[in-house]
Amino acid sequence: MAGRNHLYVPGPTNIPTEIMNAMNVDMEDHRSPIFPNLVKPLLQDLKKIFRTETGQAFIFPATGTAGWEIALTNMLNPGDKVLIYRFGQFGHLWMQMAKRLGLDVECHEIEWGKGIPVDDLEARLKADTDHQIKAVLATHNETATGVTSDIAGTRKAMDAAKHPALLFVDGVSSIASIDFRMDEWGIDAAISGSQKGFMLPAGGAFLAFSQKALKAAETATFPRCFLDLQDHITTNKDGYTPYTPSTPILHGLRKSLDILLAEGMENVYARHHRLAEGTRRAIAAWGLKLCAHPGFESDTVSAVVVPADKDARDVISTAFNKYNISLGGGLSEVAGKVFRIGHMGNMNDVSMLGAIAGVEMALLDNGIDITPGAGVAAAIEYYRSTAL
Amino acid sequence: MAGRNHLYVPGPTNIPTEIMNAMNVDMEDHRSPIFPNLVKPLLQDLKKIFRTETGQAFIFPATGTAGWEIALTNMLNPGDKVLIYRFGQFGHLWMQMAKRLGLDVECHEIEWGKGIPVDDLEARLKADTDHQIKAVLATHNETATGVTSDIAGTRKAMDAAKHPALLFVDGVSSIASIDFRMDEWGIDAAISGSQKGFMLPAGGAFLAFSQKALKAAETATFPRCFLDLQDHITTNKDGYTPYTPSTPILHGLRKSLDILLAEGMENVYARHHRLAEGTRRAIAAWGLKLCAHPGFESDTVSAVVVPADKDARDVISTAFNKYNISLGGGLSEVAGKVFRIGHMGNMNDVSMLGAIAGVEMALLDNGIDITPGAGVAAAIEYYRSTAL
Amino acid sequence: MAGRNHLYVPGPTNIPTEIMNAMNVDMEDHRSPIFPNLVKPLLQDLKKIFRTETGQAFIFPATGTAGWEIALTNMLNPGDKVLIYRFGQFGHLWMQMAKRLGLDVECHEIEWGKGIPVDDLEARLKADTDHQIKAVLATHNETATGVTSDIAGTRKAMDAAKHPALLFVDGVSSIASIDFRMDEWGIDAAISGSQKGFMLPAGGAFLAFSQKALKAAETATFPRCFLDLQDHITTNKDGYTPYTPSTPILHGLRKSLDILLAEGMENVYARHHRLAEGTRRAIAAWGLKLCAHPGFESDTVSAVVVPADKDARDVISTAFNKYNISLGGGLSEVAGKVFRIGHMGNMNDVSMLGAIAGVEMALLDNGIDITPGAGVAAAIEYYRSTAL
Amino acid sequence: MAGRNHLYVPGPTNIPTEIMNAMNVDMEDHRSPIFPNLVKPLLQDLKKIFRTETGQAFIFPATGTAGWEIALTNMLNPGDKVLIYRFGQFGHLWMQMAKRLGLDVECHEIEWGKGIPVDDLEARLKADTDHQIKAVLATHNETATGVTSDIAGTRKAMDAAKHPALLFVDGVSSIASIDFRMDEWGIDAAISGSQKGFMLPAGGAFLAFSQKALKAAETATFPRCFLDLQDHITTNKDGYTPYTPSTPILHGLRKSLDILLAEGMENVYARHHRLAEGTRRAIAAWGLKLCAHPGFESDTVSAVVVPADKDARDVISTAFNKYNISLGGGLSEVAGKVFRIGHMGNMNDVSMLGAIAGVEMALLDNGIDITPGAGVAAAIEYYRSTAL
């Protein structure tokens, strides 16, 4: 099929050519005296993306899934109680992981489409008078439903309850894309991955931990080695790594950080919001609804609900096979009900308009009653009036 | 500015990643015993793109402009009369080149927007009873106006006039994109460049000459060396080149030929036609006109006329500066009057819809009265109904 | 410093340009219907490198260190006794990992420079009449000392003792480089990484397990998720992965497997042996000794002992800072005593001669009494007489 | 054949990875308003490589051969007398070009191995009392014989003769590698190509002309277009080009200039001299002679004479087929008599030692009586004692 694949899955995201080139490096000795010149600034600058000055950043040659496990096994102990609200596939998987690892998981079901209920959280934490709950696990941006939770509010609820639990935040699809403030929001474990807002391939788990979390890590008893934090702390200090790092990921991250920090994180957030809002205008113009309830809309991915008599998988299949567009599918409880449009990373107005126009074709082909061009027209008006 | 530049100039065209990678080669000895294993099949397979079995193909480390000069200086002699119809900037430049080289140029002015008037040509050639005209210079696809001329008809006119002039065809923006049949149409010199349908960077002039042209080359007296054909004939025979070749261009061309021939030239032409037609539907839906008169529409580039009270340069500037889309500008006589949308090379439906949507924004921003989404809607309907 | 860095560390190894290009891919949807077309053949062809037909291969987006842990935590249970011989830094680290994970480690110290004592092993296993030992951990190629152990002999010893323990083999620096026969040698867990014989960057743990090992995995109780095998088994069946894979590593592996299998594994082994033997001839000509005792010499890396009054770190530092050659350092017990020359992966005669000549300079600069050119002369004679 | 090809032809030279990556660019609109931001500084910085402040630099999408022709056809007129000394294949080719273009060529034969005889030149120019000679054509570095001529002396001879002829210098294999001073030496046309000291692929002709030469260009009557200077002058002024440029070459040149200027041209020259001298020490230690006579040795390429009863082609063939080393062959009069080792561009000590060791093998294989390791030993001693 001629022409490029148009990739709008919510990760991996499109990689800018300059990052691609930055990864195209000759292999090198990761024990050389000059290697720390690469590693040390990376770890410092990574903190600026997480918006932390007091925390410490880490890079693992692994994925976001490993990031979840690093937080759980390094800061907690077997049998510890953790609190999680389940409202999407990625929260579900993190919850399942916690169970499999032998944690005592208290999981509250929330309608898919909503996020963390901060009032409920406050009440629950107040009720936990003997502080059995050791950690709150929060999915900042639930990729499966296109839902963003209120992490500032989550912290406020914890503070209101005067609860000492650690706050773990899955920021895989939020960090480097939407507003994230580790220090200000009192986050203890911030977890991200390379293949989303960082615009890199998968293969890097990027993390930051608060001093409180690092303190807890000193006495954590989960058996672990590859995902152990202490080995990184020991070697990172001198600019090295506990085992062979992926140097393409490191060099690519250098370029990614340079690009993000040059733009400025507030501008990065604003850009993602604007692209997302244009997409939402298109969806509304189609007469379709987001999976996300009002107030929970994500700026990195929109999950669009198809009419009840249609299967979203058909839309996705048409988009891919007939038009070479890759959309995200509905996962688990929303399989067949939603398709997802990623608007994360190296995107701009015309990228999104291509997606919107392509989706229009796939919707029409599948008998979904929309006015051709209506979505594009709505997005165009928004983009035109808000372009810098 | 975040996100990729969306490139819709009519060359250089977007390069597929696999061609980009094919060019990323270690340098090599172009005099090695294995180098002919690269060169010989290239020269053979290139003939399949030109659709010639009896002609001979050539690769120069230069550009299409050099290709024009190679044809003129290797097949003609100073003072020879050549006939050309001028109906666009690239035809104009070729005509000017012929003059500067000392040829006796008979140039007929044709309204920009039309192509070669084959009836007129037949009449003119019949009038040239002593065969003063040594060559007819035909711009197959005039990139500046988005006009495709009838080369089969040109040959028919020459045959009807029983005129022995050579037929030189500038196919820079047609070969490897739209229907081109060197042998069937009796073309003596076919000229192309790497940065259009071949989906390579500029830096390769790809040519094919008929046996009749090669015969003429044997006695041509223009002083020339770098652009001399004979040096290539002598060295190509054994798979070598007369001077250092650009090996990235050669390896990229290998991949380009593999891609084009695997798709099949008829399919390549059909694909370009379909993408072009969708674009034209959008332009019509905007209520705008092509520069090309009916019957002359190009399948590689559409030149769109803006309303008389508007300056097309403003549209192009808005598109570039506000939306990161690169459109082609109007050149010379049509400067300010047209903007051009390339639909050549590594494109597909969503690529074109992105262009159309982006252009809609730029048109609206400049006060051109179109219905937002109208162009996209028209293109969508066409693409949906014609997709394979 | 002008010119390329000459990399002779025993991993990461030099990456061929064609593998580098194969990794330079646009991001793609790893849940697309065509993604299994990439994954399934990879997992099948990977088995050919491990030389197993009955086992199953796995790819983790992690490193060889993770590979060690995958074997230990998926096939064993907390408190299980494992037997290991410690004769180098990488065996040491694996042993330490086993201890940290809560296994009951029986570690026998072996002089660094020797490998697994197969007679001793047989005796020890015979003495373990109630089969307390659940697994034998064997470092096939100890990178730190340049020692290759006899895995066929290890299996023979286990069979002679009629002992049912699993045989885990660290083949990180042997697989895809030196003779390795998973099925024939009755290996239950074969562990490798991308950045050695596979000529890829770090970031891929490549593994194969026997049916016996996979059976044990069904009931293993170690808490684990990211490194869990079952999630891979479940998803790999259909050509997918349990979490986002590193697609550059997958595409690079495709090219790596194509190259290795086209050469043929026996030829790959012979090539490594020949390059290693030439290097050893040079070392002998210098009057220096290998760390490896006779019979244990590795074909992927040579650890060279410097005279007792010298510090190998100075040689390495000179080589790097003055001549831009990267050599491997001595680790742990042999720090300062040895430097290491890797001859693994994308190497040939001239690569090794460059290394040898460069090392000669660094040796001379540090007052080590060798005859200039002597090492090169010895290697030259060997390479000349054995070249195909 | 495993491992990389070791490339020691005197061009194309090895490309540093960072330059390779710099060329891996998305296509762009060369008529965009930001394109001059690339072109203008390139043309300015290029002058620093040519060491001219008063001259003007040019970039053609062509090769060094075109560069020769550009100088001849833009500054001279048909029938003009030019003076050239022929002492190698590249000077021969330039002389032939001059003849073919219709210039009146006065060619003096000089023994191959020597360079321009400056005393003879002075005498000849003094004898040309009516200044019939319009240009002296000087091959600065004759690649075929490894001979560097004295351009400062050439200028001195011209001045002593008070002769107004233009001084054209072929610096294809000298500029950006060995001492070159356009202004100081009064050079009127300096010609170079991308694939030598600039460490780029072929495809760029880089030139600089004095004001005197540019004045001559205004009235030059050779028919020319693609190679016409005036079209470049007109468009370069605003940062554009007269026809589609090769943007990979432009971006690669940007990186090349950055690297060269950061090192400093004096350091670049010193580095080339040092690598060359080490190679010459090796050649002397083999008991072989350079083609270049004393005082004419080139710092970019050494042409080595094989014993009279041997054929250098066999050495080259063995090197390539058995050891994957690419050496330069003898051309024309010295075919079979010499092989050539390039030491130009992205090289360092270990690169050259690999070449020397590899050549030793090929010499021995062909029965040439050298002491194995002797060449390497001599080079080692030189490199060790002169390393910074």
Side-chain angles (χ1 to χ4, degrees):
Chain A
M1 192 183 281
R4 60 194 289 270
N5 173 257
H6 298 268
L7 184 68
Y8 299 102
V9 297
T13 62
N14 298 280
I15 302 181
T17 301
E18 59 196 308
I19 291 184
M20 210 67 200
N21 286 339
M23 292 191 297
N24 192 50
V25 284
D26 295 322
M27 288 299 100
E28 68 200 284
D29 177 16
H30 56 285
R31 294 194 181 94
S32 87
I34 61 171
F35 199 68
N37 300 345
L38 171 65
V39 173
K40 284 182 167 182
L42 274 185
L43 292 170
Q44 279 311 305
D45 290 343
L46 197 47
K47 291 170 61 174
K48 298 175 189 167
I49 308 296
F50 285 90
R51 311 287 288 272
T52 183
E53 291 185 2
T54 60
Q56 186 169 351
F58 295 89
I59 300 167
F60 280 76
T63 73
T65 299
W68 289 344
E69 189 165 340
I70 290 163
L72 297 178
T73 58
N74 280 276
M75 276 86 207
L76 301 173
N77 292 296
D80 276 358
K81 183 187 278 287
V82 298
L83 179 66
I84 190 165
Y85 292 91
R86 196 187 86 108
F87 46 82
Q89 176 67 2
F90 291 93
H92 169 76
L93 289 172
W94 200 12
M95 182 271 289
Q96 287 284 68
M97 174 186 275
K99 278 192 183 166
R100 287 167 65 181
L101 293 172
L103 292 164
D104 176 13
V105 178
E106 179 178 319
C107 179
H108 297 269
E109 297 288 329
I110 299 291
E111 184 183 359
W112 287 34
K114 294 185 175 173
I116 297 170
V118 294
D119 292 343
D120 182 89
L121 173 65
E122 183 179 331
R124 175 62 192 95
L125 291 175
K126 278 180 173 162
D128 182 38
T129 49
D130 56 351
H131 298 164
Q132 286 293 313
I133 296 167
K134 299 303 177 199
V136 174
L137 275 51
T139 303
H140 187 195
N141 191 77
E142 173 55 63
T143 316
T145 56
V147 157
T148 299
S149 281
D150 177 8
I151 303 300
T154 299
R155 163 51 59 200
K156 205 174 291 178
M158 293 174 75
D159 287 350
K162 295 190 167 55
H163 199 288
L166 294 163
L167 174 56
F168 290 2
V169 178
D170 169 358
V172 171
S173 63
S174 67
I175 292 169
S177 303
I178 62 180
D179 197 11
F180 189 92
R181 304 160 189 258
M182 180 160 172
D183 281 2
E184 191 178 323
W185 296 347
I187 295 167
D188 294 299
I191 301 153
S192 194
S194 48
Q195 81 276 16
K196 309 271 181 173
F198 289 98
M199 304 172 289
L200 292 162
F206 305 149
L207 307 152
F209 296 104
S210 71
Q211 291 304 321
K212 184 177 169 189
L214 293 173
K215 188 82 189 163
E218 289 173 11
T219 55
T221 60
F222 269 105
R224 65 195 185 274
C225 271
F226 178 66
L227 301 180
D228 183 60
L229 216 57
Q230 199 56 51
D231 294 351
H232 282 255
I233 291 171
T234 307
T235 50
N236 284 177
K237 185 167 44 66
D238 301 317
Y240 293 97
T241 57
Y243 32 75
T244 316
S246 166
T247 54
I249 288 285
L250 296 183
H251 287 282
L253 177 58
R254 179 67 269 159
K255 178 59 74 176
S256 170
L257 294 175
D258 291 346
I259 293 171
L260 290 167
L261 296 172
E263 184 175 1
M265 295 317 294
E266 295 296 344
N267 293 329
V268 169
Y269 306 152
R271 171 166 54 84
H272 279 84
H273 173 72
R274 192 175 155 279
L275 292 177
E277 183 59 27
T279 306
R280 289 190 286 260
R281 299 282 173 108
I283 295 163
W286 294 331
L288 297 180
K289 293 235 172 307
L290 288 179
C291 181
H293 289 223
F296 290 108
E297 300 90 344
S298 164
D299 281 344
T300 57
V301 57
S302 293
V304 185
V305 181
V306 297
D309 61 335
K310 300 292 181 184
D311 191 324
R313 283 171 287 225
D314 295 335
V315 176
I316 296 162
S317 174
T318 299
F320 184 69
N321 292 308
K322 193 170 169 189
Y323 304 115
N324 212 355
I325 309 177
S326 293
L327 302 172
L331 301 170
S332 179
E333 293 192 13
V334 290
K337 297 180 184 165
V338 309
F339 64 87
R340 296 177 296 147
I341 304 172
H343 24 73
M344 190 180 352
N346 191 41
M347 295 285 187
N348 55 25
D349 298 3
V350 175
S351 309
M352 293 321 305
L353 291 170
I356 292 164
V359 167
E360 289 198 359
M361 294 197 290
L363 291 171
L364 289 163
D365 286 343
N366 284 283
I368 296 174
D369 183 31
I370 66 163
T371 306
V376 170
I380 277 178
E381 286 307 314
Y382 178 76
Y383 289 141
R384 284 183 56 215
S385 62
T386 57
L388 296 177
Chain B
M1 190 182 282
R4 59 194 290 270
N5 172 257
H6 298 268
L7 183 69
Y8 299 102
V9 296
T13 63
N14 297 280
I15 302 182
T17 302
E18 58 196 309
I19 291 185
M20 210 67 200
N21 287 339
M23 291 191 298
N24 192 51
V25 285
D26 295 321
M27 288 299 100
E28 68 201 283
D29 177 14
H30 56 286
R31 295 195 180 95
S32 86
I34 61 172
F35 199 68
N37 300 345
L38 171 64
V39 173
K40 284 183 168 184
L42 274 184
L43 292 171
Q44 279 311 306
D45 290 343
L46 197 47
K47 290 170 62 174
K48 299 175 188 167
I49 308 296
F50 285 90
R51 312 288 286 271
T52 182
E53 291 185 4
T54 60
Q56 186 169 350
F58 295 88
I59 300 168
F60 279 75
T63 73
T65 299
W68 289 343
E69 188 165 340
I70 291 164
L72 297 179
T73 58
N74 281 276
M75 276 87 208
L76 300 172
N77 292 297
D80 275 357
K81 182 186 280 286
V82 298
L83 179 65
I84 191 164
Y85 292 91
R86 197 186 85 109
F87 46 83
Q89 176 66 3
F90 291 93
H92 169 76
L93 288 172
W94 200 13
M95 182 269 290
Q96 287 283 69
M97 174 187 276
K99 279 191 183 167
R100 287 167 65 182
L101 292 173
L103 292 164
D104 175 13
V105 179
E106 178 179 319
C107 179
H108 297 268
E109 296 289 330
I110 300 291
E111 184 183 359
W112 288 34
K114 294 185 175 172
I116 297 170
V118 294
D119 293 342
D120 183 271
L121 173 66
E122 184 180 331
R124 174 65 191 92
L125 291 176
K126 279 181 173 160
D128 182 37
T129 49
D130 57 351
H131 297 164
Q132 287 293 312
I133 296 168
K134 299 304 177 198
V136 173
L137 274 52
T139 303
H140 186 194
N141 190 77
E142 173 54 63
T143 315
T145 56
V147 158
T148 299
S149 280
D150 178 8
I151 303 300
T154 299
R155 163 52 57 199
K156 205 174 292 179
M158 293 173 75
D159 287 350
K162 295 191 168 53
H163 199 287
L166 293 163
L167 174 56
F168 290 2
V169 179
D170 169 358
V172 170
S173 64
S174 67
I175 292 170
S177 303
I178 62 180
D179 197 11
F180 189 91
R181 304 160 189 257
M182 180 159 173
D183 281 2
E184 190 177 325
W185 296 347
I187 295 167
D188 295 298
I191 301 153
S192 193
S194 49
Q195 80 277 15
K196 309 270 183 172
F198 289 98
M199 304 172 288
L200 292 162
F206 306 148
L207 307 153
F209 295 104
S210 70
Q211 292 304 322
K212 183 177 169 189
L214 293 173
K215 187 82 189 163
E218 289 173 13
T219 55
T221 58
F222 269 106
R224 64 195 185 274
C225 271
F226 179 65
L227 301 180
D228 182 59
L229 215 59
Q230 198 57 50
D231 294 351
H232 282 255
I233 291 171
T234 306
T235 51
N236 285 178
K237 184 166 45 66
D238 301 316
Y240 293 97
T241 57
Y243 32 73
T244 316
S246 166
T247 54
I249 288 285
L250 296 184
H251 287 282
L253 177 58
R254 178 68 270 161
K255 178 60 77 178
S256 171
L257 294 175
D258 290 346
I259 292 172
L260 290 167
L261 295 173
E263 184 175 0
M265 295 317 294
E266 295 296 344
N267 294 328
V268 169
Y269 306 152
R271 172 165 56 82
H272 279 84
H273 173 72
R274 191 175 157 278
L275 292 175
E277 182 58 26
T279 306
R280 289 189 287 259
R281 300 282 174 108
I283 294 163
W286 294 331
L288 297 179
K289 294 235 172 309
L290 287 179
C291 180
H293 288 224
F296 290 108
E297 301 90 344
S298 165
D299 281 343
T300 57
V301 56
S302 293
V304 185
V305 181
V306 296
D309 62 335
K310 300 293 179 182
D311 191 323
R313 283 171 287 227
D314 295 334
V315 176
I316 295 161
S317 175
T318 300
F320 184 69
N321 292 308
K322 193 170 170 189
Y323 303 116
N324 212 355
I325 309 178
S326 293
L327 302 172
L331 301 170
S332 179
E333 294 192 13
V334 290
K337 298 181 184 165
V338 308
F339 63 88
R340 295 178 295 147
I341 304 172
H343 24 73
M344 190 180 351
N346 191 40
M347 294 286 188
N348 55 24
D349 298 4
V350 175
S351 309
M352 293 322 304
L353 291 169
I356 293 165
V359 167
E360 290 198 358
M361 295 197 291
L363 292 171
L364 289 163
D365 285 345
N366 284 284
I368 296 173
D369 183 31
I370 66 162
T371 306
V376 171
I380 277 179
E381 286 307 313
Y382 177 76
Y383 289 142
R384 282 184 57 215
S385 62
T386 56
L388 296 177
Chain C
M1 190 183 281
R4 61 194 289 268
N5 173 257
H6 298 267
L7 184 68
Y8 299 101
V9 297
T13 62
N14 298 279
I15 301 182
T17 301
E18 58 195 309
I19 291 185
M20 211 68 199
N21 287 339
M23 292 191 297
N24 193 50
V25 284
D26 294 322
M27 288 299 100
E28 68 201 284
D29 177 14
H30 56 285
R31 294 194 180 95
S32 87
I34 61 171
F35 199 68
N37 300 345
L38 171 64
V39 173
K40 283 182 167 182
L42 273 185
L43 292 171
Q44 279 310 307
D45 289 344
L46 197 47
K47 289 170 63 173
K48 299 174 189 167
I49 308 294
F50 285 90
R51 311 288 286 272
T52 183
E53 292 184 2
T54 61
Q56 187 170 350
F58 296 89
I59 299 168
F60 279 76
T63 72
T65 299
W68 290 344
E69 190 165 338
I70 290 164
L72 296 179
T73 58
N74 280 276
M75 276 87 207
L76 300 173
N77 292 296
D80 276 357
K81 183 187 278 287
V82 299
L83 179 65
I84 190 165
Y85 292 91
R86 196 187 86 108
F87 46 84
Q89 177 65 3
F90 291 93
H92 169 76
L93 288 172
W94 200 14
M95 182 270 290
Q96 288 282 70
M97 173 187 277
K99 279 192 182 168
R100 287 167 64 182
L101 292 173
L103 293 164
D104 176 14
V105 178
E106 179 178 318
C107 178
H108 297 268
E109 297 289 330
I110 299 291
E111 184 184 358
W112 288 33
K114 293 184 175 173
I116 298 169
V118 294
D119 293 342
D120 182 89
L121 172 65
E122 183 179 331
R124 175 61 192 94
L125 291 175
K126 280 181 174 162
D128 181 38
T129 49
D130 57 350
H131 298 163
Q132 286 294 311
I133 296 168
K134 299 304 177 197
V136 173
L137 277 51
T139 303
H140 186 195
N141 191 76
E142 173 54 62
T143 315
T145 56
V147 157
T148 299
S149 281
D150 177 7
I151 302 301
T154 299
R155 166 48 60 197
K156 206 174 289 178
M158 293 174 75
D159 288 349
K162 297 189 167 53
H163 198 287
L166 294 162
L167 174 56
F168 290 3
V169 178
D170 169 358
V172 171
S173 64
S174 67
I175 292 169
S177 304
I178 63 179
D179 197 12
F180 189 91
R181 304 160 188 257
M182 180 161 171
D183 281 2
E184 190 177 324
W185 296 347
I187 295 168
D188 294 298
I191 301 152
S192 194
S194 50
Q195 81 277 16
K196 308 273 181 170
F198 289 97
M199 304 172 288
L200 292 161
F206 305 148
L207 308 152
F209 295 105
S210 71
Q211 292 304 324
K212 185 177 168 188
L214 293 173
K215 187 82 189 163
E218 289 173 11
T219 55
T221 59
F222 269 106
R224 65 195 185 276
C225 271
F226 179 66
L227 301 180
D228 182 58
L229 215 58
Q230 199 57 50
D231 295 350
H232 283 255
I233 291 172
T234 306
T235 50
N236 285 178
K237 183 167 45 65
D238 300 317
Y240 292 97
T241 57
Y243 33 73
T244 316
S246 166
T247 54
I249 288 285
L250 296 184
H251 287 282
L253 177 58
R254 178 68 269 162
K255 178 59 77 175
S256 170
L257 293 175
D258 290 346
I259 293 172
L260 289 168
L261 295 173
E263 184 175 2
M265 296 315 294
E266 295 296 344
N267 294 330
V268 169
Y269 306 151
R271 172 167 54 84
H272 278 85
H273 173 72
R274 191 174 156 277
L275 292 176
E277 182 59 26
T279 307
R280 290 190 286 259
R281 300 282 173 107
I283 295 163
W286 294 332
L288 296 179
K289 295 236 171 308
L290 288 178
C291 181
H293 289 222
F296 290 107
E297 301 90 343
S298 164
D299 281 345
T300 57
V301 55
S302 293
V304 185
V305 181
V306 296
D309 62 334
K310 300 292 180 182
D311 191 324
R313 284 171 287 226
D314 295 335
V315 176
I316 295 162
S317 174
T318 300
F320 183 69
N321 292 307
K322 194 170 169 188
Y323 304 116
N324 212 355
I325 310 178
S326 293
L327 302 172
L331 302 170
S332 178
E333 292 192 14
V334 290
K337 297 180 184 167
V338 308
F339 63 88
R340 296 177 296 148
I341 305 171
H343 24 73
M344 189 178 355
N346 190 40
M347 295 286 188
N348 55 23
D349 298 4
V350 174
S351 309
M352 293 321 305
L353 291 169
I356 292 165
V359 167
E360 290 197 359
M361 294 196 292
L363 291 171
L364 289 163
D365 285 344
N366 284 283
I368 295 173
D369 184 31
I370 65 162
T371 305
V376 171
I380 277 178
E381 286 307 315
Y382 177 75
Y383 288 141
R384 285 184 54 215
S385 62
T386 57
L388 295 177
Chain D
M1 190 182 280
R4 61 194 289 270
N5 172 257
H6 298 267
L7 184 68
Y8 298 102
V9 296
T13 63
N14 298 279
I15 302 182
T17 301
E18 59 196 309
I19 291 184
M20 210 68 201
N21 287 338
M23 292 191 298
N24 192 53
V25 286
D26 294 322
M27 288 300 99
E28 68 201 282
D29 177 15
H30 56 285
R31 294 195 181 95
S32 88
I34 61 171
F35 199 68
N37 300 346
L38 171 64
V39 173
K40 283 183 168 181
L42 274 185
L43 292 171
Q44 279 311 307
D45 290 343
L46 197 48
K47 290 170 62 174
K48 299 175 188 167
I49 308 295
F50 285 91
R51 311 290 285 273
T52 182
E53 292 185 2
T54 59
Q56 186 169 350
F58 296 88
I59 300 168
F60 279 75
T63 73
T65 298
W68 289 343
E69 189 165 339
I70 291 163
L72 296 179
T73 57
N74 281 275
M75 276 87 208
L76 299 174
N77 292 296
D80 275 358
K81 183 187 278 287
V82 299
L83 178 66
I84 190 165
Y85 293 91
R86 196 187 86 109
F87 46 83
Q89 176 66 3
F90 291 93
H92 169 76
L93 289 171
W94 201 12
M95 182 270 289
Q96 287 283 70
M97 173 186 277
K99 279 191 182 168
R100 287 168 63 182
L101 292 173
L103 292 164
D104 175 14
V105 179
E106 176 177 320
C107 178
H108 298 268
E109 297 288 330
I110 299 292
E111 184 183 359
W112 288 33
K114 292 184 176 174
I116 297 169
V118 294
D119 293 343
D120 183 90
L121 173 66
E122 183 179 332
R124 174 63 191 93
L125 292 175
K126 279 179 174 163
D128 182 38
T129 49
D130 57 351
H131 297 165
Q132 287 293 313
I133 296 168
K134 300 303 177 197
V136 173
L137 275 50
T139 303
H140 186 195
N141 191 76
E142 172 55 61
T143 315
T145 56
V147 157
T148 299
S149 280
D150 178 8
I151 302 301
T154 299
R155 164 51 58 200
K156 204 174 291 177
M158 294 173 75
D159 287 349
K162 295 190 167 53
H163 199 287
L166 294 163
L167 174 56
F168 290 1
V169 179
D170 169 358
V172 171
S173 63
S174 68
I175 292 169
S177 303
I178 62 180
D179 198 10
F180 189 91
R181 303 159 189 259
M182 179 159 172
D183 280 2
E184 191 178 325
W185 296 347
I187 295 168
D188 294 298
I191 301 153
S192 194
S194 50
Q195 80 277 16
K196 309 272 181 172
F198 289 97
M199 304 173 287
L200 292 162
F206 305 148
L207 306 152
F209 295 105
S210 71
Q211 292 304 324
K212 184 177 168 189
L214 293 173
K215 188 81 188 162
E218 289 172 12
T219 55
T221 59
F222 269 105
R224 65 195 185 275
C225 271
F226 179 65
L227 301 181
D228 182 59
L229 215 56
Q230 199 56 49
D231 294 349
H232 283 255
I233 290 171
T234 306
T235 51
N236 285 179
K237 184 168 45 67
D238 300 316
Y240 294 97
T241 57
Y243 32 74
T244 317
S246 166
T247 54
I249 288 285
L250 296 184
H251 287 282
L253 177 59
R254 178 68 269 161
K255 178 59 76 175
S256 171
L257 294 175
D258 291 346
I259 293 172
L260 289 167
L261 295 173
E263 184 175 2
M265 295 317 292
E266 294 296 343
N267 294 328
V268 169
Y269 306 152
R271 172 166 56 82
H272 278 84
H273 172 72
R274 192 176 155 276
L275 292 176
E277 182 60 26
T279 306
R280 291 190 284 261
R281 300 284 173 106
I283 294 162
W286 295 331
L288 297 179
K289 293 235 172 307
L290 288 178
C291 180
H293 288 223
F296 290 107
E297 301 90 345
S298 164
D299 281 344
T300 57
V301 56
S302 293
V304 185
V305 181
V306 297
D309 62 335
K310 301 293 180 183
D311 191 324
R313 285 172 285 227
D314 295 334
V315 175
I316 295 162
S317 175
T318 299
F320 184 68
N321 292 307
K322 193 170 169 188
Y323 303 116
N324 212 354
I325 310 178
S326 293
L327 302 173
L331 301 170
S332 177
E333 293 193 14
V334 290
K337 296 180 184 166
V338 309
F339 64 88
R340 295 177 297 147
I341 304 173
H343 24 72
M344 190 180 353
N346 191 39
M347 295 285 187
N348 55 25
D349 298 5
V350 174
S351 309
M352 294 321 305
L353 291 169
I356 293 164
V359 168
E360 290 197 357
M361 294 197 292
L363 291 171
L364 289 163
D365 285 344
N366 283 283
I368 295 173
D369 184 31
I370 66 162
T371 306
V376 171
I380 277 178
E381 286 308 314
Y382 178 76
Y383 288 141
R384 283 183 56 214
S385 62
T386 56
L388 298 177

